[in-house]
Amino acid sequence: MADVCGQVLLGSGLTVLSHPLMYIKVLIQVGHEPLRPTLGRNLFGRQVYQLPGLFAYAKHIIKIDGRAGLFKGLGPRLCAGTIGTLVHSKVAQKCQEQGTPQILGGQQKDKESSLQQVVNETTREMVARSCATIVTHPFHVITLRCMVQFIGRETKYSGVFDSIITVYREEGILGFFAGLIPRLLGDVLSLWICNLLAHLINTYAIDDSMSHTGEIKNCSQAMTGVSVTDSVSAAVCGSVSCCSCSFLQFFASMLTYPFVLVSNIMAVNNCGLAGGRDPYASVYPTWVDCWMHLSREGNMSRGNSLFFRKLPAGKTYAVDQKRFF
């Protein structure tokens, strides 16, 4: 119990610190570009027009709403983090006690093979994370809608309980789970990519004589993206250093970022806010339609970077529905 409380406190602190970054990223993801591009230089020294980055965007928000404006949606996000940690811990504990069915086939062996152990541990973690994601997704939806209100200066979602009533009254139960499927798919793919790559590195690229036992838990947490229990053990991370784990997490997040983008857009799609309808977003019947539309427009990586945001040639932006050039 003490470990769980510690995870909740640590997670809450990190959530507060990282909230302005998520806020700005979400506004960029839905296509809100309130500032004109500026002339700058890329990594090779070539002059290019760049869209405003993290600090310029933050200054714009502070100018309008003050410093407190950077923390819109923090309340429901803290609720999601706390509940998610508790659910994840309980489910992971149950999975560890009862055991996960062998999915590689064959009878139970006294000693599992290395790959089979990785698969079993990852399966347990996948179940725990998926349960936590499903339970906390309503708070995630409310968080995103509180943030997107900045675009149209609405006050429709003003608090956790009021927002719950609003979503239920207008959209019913399904409204709380808008964008859930792509979010789940992204989480599951990211987890499996990280753990299987870690296994391959442990098996073929690292000497068995190397020992990094102290780094295993930190590596597990970096790769799963949540505070994990001891069940995600050396079978998953092995001898992979924390630096390697950070790289694997970054690599997996790059591959699965389109799922995050589509999920966030669908969470605010046609919800009655200016940021959830034209000209910022079309009304998508399903998340697949949203994916296909973004893919056609070349916007599958929109919001992936908060720095060095190069202006795409010929793009039309929703800020004034005019081309910058």
Side-chain angles (χ1 to χ4, degrees):
M1 185 62 183
D3 291 340
V4 175
C5 292
Q7 292 173 9
V8 170
L9 293 176
L10 177 60
S12 298
L14 294 175
T15 296
V16 173
L17 293 176
S18 65
H19 191 78
L21 277 72
M22 179 184 175
Y23 185 21
I24 294 171
K25 179 182 282 289
V26 168
L27 292 178
I28 295 174
Q29 285 176 337
V30 298
H32 183 53
E33 297 291 351
L35 303 175
R36 295 181 65 86
T38 58
L39 186 63
R41 295 184 181 274
N42 59 16
L43 295 177
F44 300 99
R46 181 182 176 183
Q47 284 191 336
V48 294
Y49 280 94
Q50 296 177 341
L51 292 169
L54 172 66
F55 298 111
Y57 218 122
K59 289 181 180 178
H60 174 71
I61 295 174
I62 292 174
K63 182 179 179 181
I64 296 176
D65 289 337
R67 295 184 184 275
L70 292 172
F71 296 92
K72 282 187 176 180
L74 179 59
R77 191 179 176 207
L78 286 174
C79 293
T82 301
I83 297 174
T85 300
L86 296 175
V87 172
H88 178 276
S89 177
K90 292 295 184 181
V91 175
Q93 184 179 358
K94 287 292 183 181
C95 289
Q96 186 67 22
E97 292 174 354
Q98 298 178 3
T100 303
Q102 301 294 320
I103 65 174
L104 292 183
Q107 297 178 349
Q108 176 71 27
K109 299 180 180 179
D110 294 336
K111 185 176 180 179
E112 296 174 331
S113 65
S114 176
L115 177 59
Q116 188 168 1
Q117 189 174 357
V118 170
V119 170
N120 292 334
E121 292 289 348
T122 305
T123 302
R124 296 187 186 103
E125 178 64 20
M126 178 185 67
V127 172
R129 288 190 63 174
S130 298
C131 290
T133 298
I134 293 172
V135 171
T136 61
H137 193 74
F139 296 99
H140 180 68
V141 170
I142 293 172
T143 297
L144 296 177
R145 295 184 180 185
C146 288
M147 293 176 172
V148 172
Q149 286 184 138
F150 174 81
I151 298 174
R153 311 305 300 159
E154 297 107 334
T155 57
K156 184 176 180 179
Y157 300 92
S158 57
V160 176
F161 296 106
D162 290 341
S163 298
I164 291 174
I165 295 174
T166 300
V167 174
Y168 181 76
R169 183 177 61 246
E170 296 185 357
E171 304 173 56
I173 295 295
L174 293 180
F176 293 108
F177 299 97
L180 175 62
I181 294 178
R183 187 184 178 197
L184 277 176
L185 290 175
D187 283 348
V188 170
L189 286 175
S190 178
L191 177 65
W192 280 97
I193 291 172
C194 282
N195 287 355
L196 291 179
L197 285 179
H199 171 73
L200 292 177
I201 293 174
N202 292 335
T203 303
Y204 300 106
I206 294 183
D207 189 354
D208 292 338
S209 63
M210 297 175 63
S211 178
H212 298 279
T213 305
E215 298 176 349
I216 290 174
K217 290 183 182 179
N218 292 333
C219 180
S220 301
Q221 293 178 6
M223 295 196 332
T224 57
V226 294
S227 298
V228 297
T229 60
D230 293 342
S231 63
V232 184
S233 61
V236 177
C237 298
S239 304
V240 181
S241 65
C242 289
C243 181
S244 299
C245 288
S246 298
F247 172 76
L248 291 178
Q249 183 190 25
F250 174 77
F251 177 72
S253 66
M254 290 289 290
L255 291 179
T256 59
Y257 179 77
F259 291 96
V260 177
L261 175 62
V262 171
S263 174
N264 288 351
I265 291 178
M266 290 304 297
V268 301
N269 180 54
N270 197 27
C271 66
L273 299 176
R277 57 177 183 266
D278 288 333
Y280 294 95
S282 301
V283 178
Y284 304 109
T286 66
W287 69 271
V288 176
D289 296 302
C290 178
W291 182 293
M292 295 177 64
H293 180 261
L294 292 174
S295 180
R296 287 194 301 267
E297 295 291 326
N299 287 328
M300 293 302 289
S301 62
R302 188 170 67 192
N304 194 20
S305 174
L306 296 179
F307 302 96
F308 305 108
R309 301 178 57 225
K310 181 181 176 181
L311 176 68
K315 289 291 183 182
T316 301
Y317 287 90
V319 57
D320 54 7
Q321 301 188 57
K322 296 179 181 178
R323 294 184 185 275
F324 285 128
F325 301 105

